[in-house]
Amino acid sequence: MFGNGTNTLYQSGPQARFFPPSESVMLLPGTYKNKVAFITGGGTGLGKAMTTTLSSLGAECVIASTLVISKTADEISQQTGNKVHAVQCNVRDPASVEAAVNQLVNDVGLPDVVINNAAGNFISPSEKLSPNAWRTITDIVCAAFLAITTIYAESGSVFVAPSAAAKAGVETLCTSMAAEWGRYGTRFNIIQPGPIKTKGAFSRLDPTGTFEKLMLETIAVGRLGTPAEIANLAAYLCSDYASWVSGAIIRMDGGEYVSLAGEFNGLKKVTQKQWAIMEAMIRNTKGS
Amino acid sequence: MFGNGTNTLYQSGPQARFFPPSESVMLLPGTYKNKVAFITGGGTGLGKAMTTTLSSLGAECVIASTLVISKTADEISQQTGNKVHAVQCNVRDPASVEAAVNQLVNDVGLPDVVINNAAGNFISPSEKLSPNAWRTITDIVCAAFLAITTIYAESGSVFVAPSAAAKAGVETLCTSMAAEWGRYGTRFNIIQPGPIKTKGAFSRLDPTGTFEKLMLETIAVGRLGTPAEIANLAAYLCSDYASWVSGAIIRMDGGEYVSLAGEFNGLKKVTQKQWAIMEAMIRNTKGS
Amino acid sequence: MFGNGTNTLYQSGPQARFFPPSESVMLLPGTYKNKVAFITGGGTGLGKAMTTTLSSLGAECVIASTLVISKTADEISQQTGNKVHAVQCNVRDPASVEAAVNQLVNDVGLPDVVINNAAGNFISPSEKLSPNAWRTITDIVCAAFLAITTIYAESGSVFVAPSAAAKAGVETLCTSMAAEWGRYGTRFNIIQPGPIKTKGAFSRLDPTGTFEKLMLETIAVGRLGTPAEIANLAAYLCSDYASWVSGAIIRMDGGEYVSLAGEFNGLKKVTQKQWAIMEAMIRNTKGS
Amino acid sequence: MFGNGTNTLYQSGPQARFFPPSESVMLLPGTYKNKVAFITGGGTGLGKAMTTTLSSLGAECVIASTLVISKTADEISQQTGNKVHAVQCNVRDPASVEAAVNQLVNDVGLPDVVINNAAGNFISPSEKLSPNAWRTITDIVCAAFLAITTIYAESGSVFVAPSAAAKAGVETLCTSMAAEWGRYGTRFNIIQPGPIKTKGAFSRLDPTGTFEKLMLETIAVGRLGTPAEIANLAAYLCSDYASWVSGAIIRMDGGEYVSLAGEFNGLKKVTQKQWAIMEAMIRNTKGS
Ligand SMILES: NC(=O)c1ccc[n+]([C@@H]2O[C@H](COP(=O)([O-])OP(=O)(O)OC[C@H]3O[C@@H](n4cnc5c(N)ncnc54)[C@H](OP(=O)(O)O)[C@@H]3O)[C@@H](O)[C@H]2O)c1
Ligand SMILES: NC(=O)c1ccc[n+]([C@@H]2O[C@H](COP(=O)([O-])OP(=O)(O)OC[C@H]3O[C@@H](n4cnc5c(N)ncnc54)[C@H](OP(=O)(O)O)[C@@H]3O)[C@@H](O)[C@H]2O)c1
Ligand SMILES: NC(=O)c1ccc[n+]([C@@H]2O[C@H](COP(=O)([O-])OP(=O)(O)OC[C@H]3O[C@@H](n4cnc5c(N)ncnc54)[C@H](OP(=O)(O)O)[C@@H]3O)[C@@H](O)[C@H]2O)c1
Ligand SMILES: NC(=O)c1ccc[n+]([C@@H]2O[C@H](COP(=O)([O-])OP(=O)(O)OC[C@H]3O[C@@H](n4cnc5c(N)ncnc54)[C@H](OP(=O)(O)O)[C@@H]3O)[C@@H](O)[C@H]2O)c1
């Protein structure tokens, strides 16, 4: 069992009512017709939401996970009416990625969309894949790659140094590849999500709920995000509507990052009365 | 008539065929029903494309320009079947912005979407608007603001220092406001377009076409962008599907920026044969 | 007299004792012999500290301010043994800048170092200076320019939007000029200071001291900076030792920015005992 | 034998004469008295230059390398008059780092300065070091850490994706640690060098010299950097003069990055005559 035991989207302030999440699919039906999409970590959380959205837009999806997740694949397929395949694969193990990619190619052909969403992401393959594997992967032309990193990938953050470093590596890998592989018909983009209440993220990062409360106070729109919101953005970025988007790093975080980073954010707690006193004092200051 | 006399989208390499622009509207019909949108510089180029897209999705649009542009407004309206109003306004002149905003509010009510697209952008109002004007503007709650800047706003660039500085100011203004005004129901986002062949941009920046050729070589996807592509991204960002996007800076440039910024980009011209020679030399190097 | 009535450098935690400020000049004596330096806002705070340092290293300094500050100039000169001139100048007024630059050139010749430190900075001149003024300024070759901005120039921040936007503009102006004017022998660099207790900054931004307390908690090294520390960095950046530094943006803030921006920074307050509980819960989580 | 066979510092344009490198040590003698410094890759190139500078300022240095480099250590020691130790260590192998650190602590005590300069940098240890090793390392309090990355760590670049990703990881690791470990008296900073002609960098990255020519054209100050220039900056950053610098990322690249990244940089080749033609055309453009 997960979370606060409910589906309530907790919010910090009244402004959250101005920003209700839109949970339905935004793109025109059929946008992904005849497209094959490969989503790592596609069986849970954000990955499952993205798979469901792409699938409902017509894509044939392949989801990868360390576990056997055919049941999830079937469930999504039933909901959307399009085929969803499941492959077992550990993205930290180059041989396993290689095998999964081979199976994928045999079963459904080369993917048009690759979403690198598994928690570990896969940074290793680029350096450790066998020449053979690279060849298979580099055959994947005309594909749109998308990596899911995090808002602290650029700035870094206390307590998550290894994950921050790995995600930063993924980002620079993607921007490098965006510059290098445009000529093969490939695009690479990145979504940096702020906090979204998936079981995976919150049970591990915030078992007591302490952190959720803290975060809500620094999210400008006053609420957490939802998997469906990430899924709509991802569906746009991997679609042909975004064929001129490559090397982009897109923050989707309800304005959390800009609120955190701004030096004077702490002053949000200053009351109207305190502001009045401060203003009077400032006006009375003379000289430098 | 403008440009190279044709509608051909020039391209630098064969890869551009992998990335054809999708010119149609991507969001579900009616996405902007009952919404009012205010677009500065909405009568030409990117502004006109964004207006047309929002209008065709159901919005009632108001376009502002230094010229009288009712004809353009009518033209768009005829195409989309929804009302489009035109107001005259110089965004560099606070009094003029104030008057336009007042007229807007009288005619159609407070806007739900404000797109700050006019070439000069409007950075001045925040400092110079009369208290009255600020009050009107700060009444605009629940609105989604979008500013159009440019990919060189962060890095700076030779030969465009004043525009780079102004656009950088707009970006930081927006991220600051995103952090500050979430509590009023307001979101602020930014699109940084790469080169898109509008008459405004190209006749002034590239009268001879020299620059276009240079740019095509550094755009990863091998072609310029189109106004319709910006319009789809803008329509997404200002819609409720993006209600959890605030303070985001989104580059849409065909991978130009990452290609420019990468130190080794110049080596793209190295031939296969030259790579072979270099590899042999590197292998023969001993010691540090 | 200023501040909390003492010269004590307040600190948030015991770690500040590991990071005592070094108040003496670090560069070799004579580093600035035969150099002329122009420092806006050089009569107080950071500007005065930078002037004193450059002067003590041998520079002939000219300080500019809206007020008549010959007394300050004399005071610094007496301390260092080198000439210090004062000119009156309002950096927001292009004509005033023009007149000051002319006087400067007449009195001491073209400057080798220009430090753009006045609180308003000068962003306007680039656009509004008369052709004549530009000519004078562009004659300033071989100079090292340094601008003092702030750590929130890039991220933006609540409550200081106009200043954040202006400083962002200054930064992009400088990086643009660094790229453009290398060929005239000119370098442009930027220091982004974190909070330093000058009367100018603190009496206006933090009249009640509330903010100082808050900041100390988010500064990694646990204390505010000192003007002498900025002065040493500035002296390095404008010296020939840094002749290969151009277009650089250097944060000097005791680690404040990285502490603010990191998403999990709030968790610093979690106690050892709470960590233990959280760890146990995380270990017990099964599945995604 | 290395490079162009001479010590000439090649330059692209006449402006390089305005920016002669200052090869001497800039800080006051004795700045590093009673300090212990550990420099990975300290036997060659930039590492050797930094070691020599710290040593001449009074530090007791320990240099680490995969090879036995006591000869280099002795050579530096003879030049500076201070002890220099050499340890063998492979920074890609956590056990080897652990052993080296233990030897270091036994021989000279805990270091005050750690410079992470070896080409591979060490990103792995944070995740793979044994609990024991971490304990040793986390005992290193009051130390100043410095990592040498590269200007393409943030932007990414074609042809160097793995190295770009690794260096990006190092940067985010450092900024994360800067936020987290200030409370242990530790600072973390980063230098991003542009191209500096060391045998290590150039024999591997530019065996034919093709790249050097290209780079010179995009370096604003018109020349490559020198190891001594990096050494002076490193000496400053690790000294007590910089005790308020933490989490900073400092580009030292002769203005290369800002020149590369700026969209209009390519226009630098436009001649005066071509500008005149363009200006006339722009003036003749009417309407948007
Ligand atoms: N939720 C948030 O607030 C948030 C914020 C920022 C970024 N993110 C990122 O978003 C992505 C998805 O996270 P989530 O919140 O949806 O959590 P999640 O449900 O735990 O998703 C992680 C998925 O990755 C799979 N996975 C983990 N290790 C793998 C491996 N070695 N090989 C293959 N698959 C692996 C997991 O499946 P198995 O366990 O079956 O292998 C799981 O389906 C992650 O990259 C996360 O870092 C999330
Ligand atoms: N096209 C590109 O490659 C490109 C790339 C990056 C960024 N951008 C940005 O995209 C935006 C739109 O550019 P565009 O390419 O579409 O060029 P454009 O057609 O010239 O658009 C500029 C619009 O702004 C209006 N405008 C200019 N000054 C104004 C003022 N003071 N007050 C009110 N309206 C004013 C113009 O109308 P009037 O002349 O009738 O006033 C015109 O409609 C601009 O901000 C531009 O910087 C464009
Ligand atoms: N202290 C901090 O914590 C901090 C942090 C980040 C950035 N900064 C920046 O550092 C710089 C120096 O600040 P400070 O703390 O030293 O404060 P300060 O003592 O108030 O310095 C500002 C100086 O600028 C001069 N000045 C202001 N407006 C001017 C104008 N229009 N024309 C000419 N001179 C003008 C002032 O002199 P007159 O009043 O005589 O004209 C004064 O000498 C500023 O740019 C500030 O934004 C400071
Ligand atoms: N020169 C440039 O233009 C430039 C530009 C940007 C960044 N950088 C960075 O600056 C740093 C120094 O480069 P450099 O130009 O001075 O080249 P270098 O002379 O090749 O320096 C690299 C040093 O690292 C040592 N090293 C390599 N792998 C190691 C390992 N696994 N364990 C321990 N030591 C190892 C090497 O010694 P052994 O071979 O004896 O092990 C050598 O002393 C590098 O991080 C480089 O990426 C250089």
Side-chain angles (χ1 to χ4, degrees), chain B residues 288, chain D residues 44 46 65-67 89-91 117-119 149 167 196 198 200-201:
Chain B
S288 288
Chain D
T44 66
L46 306 187
S65 152
T66 57
L67 309 173
C89 158
N90 180 349
V91 297
N117 160 76
T149 63
K167 297 272 192 186
I196 293 164
T198 63

Side-chain angles (χ1 to χ4, degrees), chain B residues 134-159:
Chain B
W134 262 115
R135 213 161 316 125
T136 312
I137 286 186
T138 56
D139 274 351
I140 306 181
V141 291
C142 306
F145 278 78
L146 178 69
I148 309 298
T149 62
T150 150
I151 57 165
Y152 56 76
E154 279 168 74
S155 58
S157 174
V158 300
F159 305 131

Side-chain angles (χ1 to χ4, degrees), chain A residues 15 18-20 22 25-26 28 142 178-179 182 185 187 195 220 223 225 229 236 240-241 243-244 246-247 251-252 254-255 268, chain B residues 15 18-20 22 25-26 28 142 178-179 182 185 187 195 220-221 223 225 236 240-241 243-244 246-247 251-252 254-255 268:
Chain A
Q15 81 264 35
F18 298 131
F19 304 109
S22 295
V25 173
M26 74 177 183
L28 289 178
C142 307
R187 298 186 292 117
R223 64 164 175 91
E229 290 178 293
Y236 161 63
D240 291 343
Y241 294 114
S243 69
W244 207 55
S246 193
R251 206 153 54 207
M252 186 189 224
K268 273 193 186 163
Chain B
Q15 82 264 33
F18 298 132
F19 304 109
S22 295
V25 173
M26 74 178 185
L28 290 177
C142 306
R187 300 186 291 116
V221 313
R223 65 164 174 90
Y236 161 63
D240 291 344
Y241 295 114
S243 69
W244 207 54
S246 194
R251 205 153 54 207
M252 186 189 225
K268 273 192 185 164

Side-chain angles (χ1 to χ4, degrees), chain D residues 61 90 101 105 157 274 278:
Chain D
C61 293
N90 180 349
V101 169
V105 175
S157 173
Q274 288 171 319
M278 281 166 72

